[in-house]
Amino acid sequence: MIRKDELFPIGTTHAPHALQGEITCSFTNTVFDDADAPFFVLEMDEILVPFYLEWYRFKTETTALVKFEGVDSEADARELAGKTIYLPLAYRELSDGDDITLHDLVGFEVIDRQAGSLGHITAVDDTTMNVLFVVDDGRVVMPAHDAFVDQIDYQGKSIYVHLPDGLLDLQDK
């Protein structure tokens, strides 16, 4: 069984492209093209499912047409639209942090200098100008700003922060 903490997001599926099951995908980093992965993992009805690639063709640097094995119609492809695309952590080199996006930090533990462990990042809210880390499904919401980050331990999947005084007190209200 595939577990979400064994994966990292690399992009999103979009609308079907043609009648034979092709789907447009956008990517947030280049690891897919660099790693030459044979499959993507998509979450279908809360189950993580591998979808093997039949072929793909990049349209731009961040967008590709993808054909999955067994997805042979527009209706099949439509069921896959709007899904986050994941790859196993083994496909990502974490040693130097190159190509890491904020979304790649989902699953990392957040440790504050004063308060200690705050939990794990469960989402990144980038719908406004001020990007936020959502910790433990909203128990804590904090700015995703490098001014508050002391260190990121990619190997240990931890982020060490120093949040402003009083920020955590606002979370309890």
Side-chain angles (χ1 to χ4, degrees), residues 28-95:
T28 57
N29 65 43
T30 63
V31 73
F32 160 62
D33 194 33
D34 297 340
D36 198 26
F39 63 89
F40 292 151
V41 177
L42 306 177
E43 190 169 4
M44 306 295 294
D45 297 322
E46 299 183 24
I47 298 171
L48 295 164
V49 179
F51 284 85
Y52 286 85
L53 300 168
E54 193 169 306
W55 59 262
Y56 67 91
R57 174 176 55 90
F58 275 92
K59 293 172 29 177
T60 69
E61 285 186 23
T62 60
T63 306
L65 293 178
V66 175
K67 173 68 173 74
F68 294 113
E69 291 179 6
V71 178
D72 298 317
S73 70
E74 181 183 8
D76 291 344
R78 192 175 300 114
E79 289 183 35
L80 304 179
K83 306 288 185 189
T84 300
I85 301 168
Y86 297 96
L87 280 179
L89 289 173
Y91 285 98
R92 180 173 65 184
E93 296 287 334
L94 290 177
S95 58

Side-chain angles (χ1 to χ4, degrees), residues 66-133:
V66 175
K67 173 68 173 74
F68 294 113
E69 291 179 6
V71 178
D72 298 317
S73 70
E74 181 183 8
D76 291 344
R78 192 175 300 114
E79 289 183 35
L80 304 179
K83 306 288 185 189
T84 300
I85 301 168
Y86 297 96
L87 280 179
L89 289 173
Y91 285 98
R92 180 173 65 184
E93 296 287 334
L94 290 177
S95 58
D96 59 9
D98 285 349
D99 251 357
I100 302 296
T101 68
L102 290 176
H103 293 277
D104 294 328
L105 300 176
V106 170
F108 279 53
E109 181 180 16
V110 178
I111 303 167
D112 182 63
R113 272 190 215 165
Q114 300 289 328
S117 177
L118 302 177
H120 291 83
I121 298 172
T122 52
V124 176
D125 181 354
D126 57 4
T127 59
T128 64
M129 277 185 23
N130 297 316
V131 179
L132 302 169
F133 285 133

